[in-house]
Amino acid sequence: MSHELVELLRSVLKEELQPIHERLDRLEAGQQRLEERQQCLEERQQRLEERQQRLEEKLDHFIIETRSHFKKIEDELAEHRRMFEILSHDWRNANIAIEYLNHKIGQHDLEMYQLKKRLELQETK
């Protein structure tokens, strides 16, 4: 009878423990899925970090290129300003020379007019 009692106890325990085993199996399967998801999230985070690093590098290169280009434009602008100053100075000097020459032409015209009038007066005499 003891053997039958042992088998009966085993059967009862097996029935009682069956839901616990099923629940543990579900928990283990759920934990497995969580670990897989965690792994997937970690991989995605790694890819995001790599992409962010590449973006930061590209941004750094862009900033360096922009600064270089901006410096070049500033240098060219300074050169153009110097050229405009030189041209402006030359233009003022040219205007002064033109005014002087106009004045001289006026004087020569007056002198020629006076000489012409004198010649006419001498011819009439």
Side-chain angles (χ1 to χ4, degrees), residues 38-93:
Q38 178 69 28
Q39 180 67 29
C40 181
L41 286 173
E42 288 175 0
E43 290 171 1
R44 289 178 68 193
Q45 181 180 2
Q46 179 66 30
R47 287 192 306 267
L48 283 173
E49 288 174 358
E50 290 170 359
R51 286 174 58 196
Q52 181 181 359
Q53 180 67 30
R54 285 193 306 269
L55 286 173
E56 287 175 359
E57 289 173 4
K58 286 180 181 180
L59 181 60
D60 289 343
H61 291 293
F62 178 75
I63 289 171
I64 290 169
E65 286 178 25
T66 302
R67 284 182 182 159
S68 174
H69 186 67
F70 187 71
K71 176 69 173 131
K72 181 181 177 203
I73 289 173
E74 282 182 328
D75 291 344
E76 287 178 0
L77 180 61
E79 180 65 25
H80 291 162
R81 284 184 177 152
R82 282 191 294 277
M83 291 302 294
F84 280 125
E85 288 174 10
I86 290 169
L87 291 173
S88 176
H89 184 265
D90 289 350
W91 183 262
R92 281 188 298 249
N93 286 342

Side-chain angles (χ1 to χ4, degrees), residues 3-68:
H3 181 63
E4 289 176 6
L5 186 58
V6 169
E7 286 300 316
L8 181 64
L9 278 174
R10 276 187 187 164
S11 174
V12 169
L13 281 174
K14 194 173 184 183
E15 276 183 42
E16 290 297 319
L17 291 176
Q18 183 63 29
I20 293 172
H21 285 295
E22 289 173 359
R23 188 170 181 199
L24 282 174
D25 288 343
R26 286 192 307 270
L27 284 172
E28 286 176 353
Q31 178 143 4
Q32 178 81 21
R33 285 191 305 275
L34 284 174
E35 288 175 0
E36 289 171 359
R37 287 182 177 172
Q38 178 69 28
Q39 180 67 29
C40 181
L41 286 173
E42 288 175 0
E43 290 171 1
R44 289 178 68 193
Q45 181 180 2
Q46 179 66 30
R47 287 192 306 267
L48 283 173
E49 288 174 358
E50 290 170 359
R51 286 174 58 196
Q52 181 181 359
Q53 180 67 30
R54 285 193 306 269
L55 286 173
E56 287 175 359
E57 289 173 4
K58 286 180 181 180
L59 181 60
D60 289 343
H61 291 293
F62 178 75
I63 289 171
I64 290 169
E65 286 178 25
T66 302
R67 284 182 182 159
S68 174

